[in-house]
Amino acid sequence: MNRTGARDDGAAGDGPRLPRRGQGQLESQVLTVLRSAGGPATAGWVQEHLDGDLAYTTVITILTRLYAKNAVTRTREGRSYVWTPASDEAGLAALRMRRVLDGERDREAVLARFVSALSPGDEARLRELLSRADAEPGPGGPAAPGHPAAPAQPGGHPRPAGPGDPDAPEG
């Protein structure tokens, strides 16, 4: 103990130290609870329905991070927000994978390594999904941003829509 009475090992309280949750585990738990609400829910409702003793501020932080990832939506109701899932666990995992890919300079190398590490069954599933996406118009189809047939910027990457871009959504 130091002179303020706090533990030097960084643990709070005298009880046993709980193991840290895996990356994204809390987000998945919050999304699962939010989906079980059957409609918009407050952070307080989510906190009450989570297993464990999470502080209200922790729940707000998780919901805010999910909002920043477009995994939930929020609507102001009075002085607070109600939250609605915009994504399921598979969607959240896909967002995480996309964020990792977006952070890499050599996207082609990362994707090549990813595909080469897949099991034969997963590789076949991925090929089937890509074939379906190529055949369907709309999101994921040939005109979708990031699709190989999408207009490219110099350097071979899809052209991002930005301010002043005629293809950018109005906002």
Side-chain angles (χ1 to χ4, degrees), residues 86-156:
S87 179
D88 57 10
E89 287 186 45
L92 185 58
L95 285 169
R96 275 192 235 111
M97 291 168 63
R98 177 64 188 258
R99 200 169 56 241
V100 168
L101 183 60
D102 287 346
E104 296 297 323
R105 289 185 358 191
D106 191 350
R107 296 170 70 89
E108 185 174 341
V110 173
L111 288 169
R113 294 283 174 101
F114 176 75
V115 170
S116 68
L118 292 173
S119 70
D122 284 344
E123 185 177 343
R125 277 186 212 81
L126 181 58
R127 288 183 190 284
E128 180 184 334
L129 290 168
L130 289 170
S131 293
R132 274 195 250 156
D134 281 343
E136 296 174 7
H147 189 280
Q153 64 186 8

Side-chain angles (χ1 to χ4, degrees), residues 11-96:
D14 294 325
R17 190 168 195 178
L18 297 174
R20 282 186 66 82
R21 292 176 179 91
Q23 183 178 5
Q25 189 176 5
L26 274 178
E27 291 176 348
S28 292
Q29 289 173 349
V30 167
L31 274 178
T32 298
V33 167
L34 197 55
R35 277 194 303 277
S36 75
T42 64
W45 187 92
V46 172
Q47 179 193 22
E48 289 173 15
H49 290 83
L50 280 169
D51 295 333
D53 298 331
L54 286 182
Y56 178 80
T57 54
T58 302
V59 173
I60 289 289
T61 299
I62 295 164
L63 286 167
T64 301
R65 287 179 180 166
L66 288 169
Y67 178 75
K69 296 174 183 180
N70 297 318
V72 299
T73 61
R74 67 183 183 191
T75 307
R76 180 143 328 252
E77 224 176 71
R79 295 188 326 161
S80 62
Y81 290 105
V82 290
W83 306 82
T84 307
S87 179
D88 57 10
E89 287 186 45
L92 185 58
L95 285 169
R96 275 192 235 111

